[in-house]
Amino acid sequence: MFEAVPLDRLRERTSVKWRFFEPDVLPMWVAEMDVLPAEPITHAVHDAMLRGDTGYPHGTGYAEAFARFASDTWGAEVAVDRTALVSDVMMGAFELIRMLTPPGGSVIVTSPVYPPFHAYSRHAERSVVEAPLGDDLRLDLVAIEEACARVGGVADDGRARAVLLLCNPHNPTGTVHTRAELERLAAITAPYGVRVISDEVHAPLLFDAEFTPYWTVDPRGLSLTSASKAFNLAGLRTALVVGGDDTAADLAGIAEVVSHGPSHIASIAHVAAFDEGREWLADVLDGLRDNRALLARLLAEHAPTIRWRPGEATFLAWLDCRGTRVADPASAPDPGYIGLSTGPAKAFLERARVGLSAGEAFGTGGANHVRFNLGTRPDVIEEAVRRMGAVA
Ligand SMILES: Cc1ncc(COP(=O)(O)O)c(C=O)c1O
């Protein structure tokens, strides 16, 4: 699966992964995978183009395809009438934040976390409140309750003063929150009126863990999902909000300007992914299992000062570089920036010519960490780790 595209063909790609850095840099950063799409997706898009089916989206086809996938994959039921199309996961999060909280409200995030959680919240003019993960890289429910007590409550206009933007599975650690953790989260947030928005875009990329969709444990929960990460369709923009039992009014409140964004062609692609891309996904997961084992072996051999606790999901490896020669005492969380001006990511880029996501950008807990993308050729992984090991 990950050997299908030779390196020189990957370098011909024009998306950000392969174009951001200079050509001698191995790009191990942004969450794109170096695969060819599942054939049914290519055919579905091609057929749509031949039909001239390039208009606006209509109907609940995306939600129905996701419902079949969620039921077959996780045994979770989706009520199609409690879903809404949005242009992508992060714009969905942005709009839900703006809808559920008043201006000046807060977004609680469990750092270190996907940098746009900070940036989009700030762009929505809400303050970011961190409830960092514990040392075990799992949710710290005590810290979350403290944050809820600090910034929760009900605003004068009846809206929640705060939402919690959850990442499940968690980017960058790959942690999959358990049903018990999520039930506790729902119980902790409810008394403070804090609403939970759960980003579940990595959920189909699961290794031997059980995934619990948040809408199934919290009737007021709102999950965001998309085929974009698991099926590598970030260039085909569309996503879905899935709400719990008590979210009908919330979903009805999503403005028309928001539902205007999703692309019809993208929806056709994502439907094909959920319905017909499952064998391809199984092959990707097999390839990722191999790449995870390879990374563990290579780190032990070439870069033993880098520590890695493999997560239970996704193609991202969160590498702890605190014990390396490139650890930077001045490294500090700097959420939201692309993060190449300090810390190990800067050293690996300048001295090893490996482009990584800088941990500092992920907020508290991210200093002297880097995020390494495993969704690529094994020989690229090997060369990247060799290069990193030479300076670490
Ligand atoms: C946790 C998480 N959420 C959202 C996204 C982006 O999704 P979208 O492109 O649909 O906004 C990513 C992309 O890497 C991600 O890792």
Side-chain angles (χ1 to χ4, degrees):
M1 181 52 76
F2 287 103
E3 279 162 319
V5 191
L7 187 56
D8 55 341
R9 296 286 291 165
L10 289 173
R11 290 209 179 276
E12 288 170 8
R13 291 190 172 183
T14 55
S15 63
V16 69
K17 183 178 187 189
W18 286 93
R19 287 300 159 110
F20 183 78
F21 293 109
E22 287 161 9
D24 64 321
V25 173
L26 285 177
M28 312 304 290
W29 66 302
V30 69
E32 297 177 19
M33 288 194 283
D34 296 332
V35 287
L36 292 173
E39 267 182 38
I41 300 175
T42 306
H43 290 147
V45 170
H46 189 232
D47 290 351
M49 296 302 288
L50 293 179
R51 283 198 302 278
D53 195 0
T54 51
Y56 297 109
H58 174 70
T60 53
Y62 190 102
E64 285 159 27
F66 177 68
R68 288 187 288 273
F69 183 86
S71 171
D72 295 345
T73 312
W74 310 309
E77 298 312 311
V78 173
V80 168
D81 60 354
R82 281 198 310 278
T83 64
L85 271 185
V86 288
S87 57
D88 56 60
V89 168
M90 286 314 299
M91 284 313 289
F94 178 76
E95 292 298 344
L96 290 177
I97 290 166
R98 288 187 350 143
M99 189 181 82
L100 296 172
T101 63
S106 300
V107 180
I108 302 170
V109 300
T110 58
S111 308
V113 75
Y114 182 52
F117 277 27
H118 303 263
Y120 279 62
S121 302
R122 284 204 302 264
H123 186 59
E125 299 182 349
R126 299 332 186 232
S127 29
V128 177
V129 175
E130 294 185 312
L133 301 179
D135 291 339
D136 56 357
L137 304 182
R138 303 203 71 88
L139 295 178
D140 181 340
L141 294 163
V142 173
I144 290 174
E145 183 157 17
E146 280 167 10
C148 291
R150 223 165 45 243
V151 297
V154 178
D156 293 343
D157 65 3
R159 288 193 275 177
R161 281 194 196 285
V163 293
L164 186 144
L165 188 51
L166 183 72
C167 198
N168 185 28
H170 193 90
N171 171 358
T173 59
T175 306
V176 178
H177 310 309
T178 64
R179 175 171 288 273
E181 284 170 321
L182 296 178
E183 284 172 352
R184 189 79 198 110
L185 180 68
I188 283 172
T189 49
Y192 300 100
V194 172
R195 302 290 303 273
V196 177
I197 302 168
S198 179
D199 174 343
E200 300 176 356
V201 72
H202 289 272
L205 292 164
L206 219 60
F207 311 107
D208 312 317
E210 209 168 297
F211 171 66
T212 306
Y214 192 71
W215 80 82
T216 65
V217 300
D218 180 355
R220 303 219 307 152
L222 290 156
S223 298
L224 283 155
T225 192
S226 166
S228 70
K229 288 299 111 184
F231 296 92
N232 208 39
L233 301 175
L236 289 157
R237 316 288 291 157
T238 182
L240 193 70
V241 182
V242 183
D245 288 349
D246 297 345
T247 59
D250 298 318
L251 290 159
I254 295 179
E256 197 197 329
V257 290
V258 177
S259 53
H260 194 71
S263 145
H264 178 49
I265 287 285
S267 292
I268 288 171
H270 289 219
V271 168
F274 285 129
D275 277 342
E276 300 171 72
R278 299 185 198 179
E279 263 177 51
W280 177 94
L281 181 62
D283 289 345
V284 163
L285 285 167
D286 283 345
L288 289 176
R289 281 191 186 90
D290 291 346
N291 285 355
R292 281 155 58 93
L294 176 68
L295 179 65
R297 238 183 7 256
L298 291 168
L299 288 174
E301 193 177 340
H302 301 292
T305 56
I306 298 178
R307 297 218 317 272
W308 176 43
R309 185 199 310 242
E312 303 145 293
T314 202
F315 50 83
L316 305 168
W318 182 236
L319 303 183
D320 179 348
C321 302
R322 285 176 292 185
T324 66
R325 285 177 287 159
V326 292
D328 178 354
S331 164
D334 192 0
Y337 89 126
I338 204 154
L340 292 167
S341 53
T342 59
K346 179 173 189 273
F348 286 131
L349 176 62
E350 290 175 353
R351 297 202 249 140
R353 307 306 282 159
V354 178
L356 298 146
S357 304
E360 290 74 13
F362 292 70
T364 295
N368 285 313
H369 287 68
V370 295
R371 195 191 69 178
F372 183 106
N373 182 340
L374 283 162
T376 188
R377 300 178 54 85
D379 54 1
V380 169
I381 293 175
E382 174 152 5
E383 175 63 16
V385 177
R386 281 178 185 278
R387 290 186 191 185
M388 290 165 70
V391 301

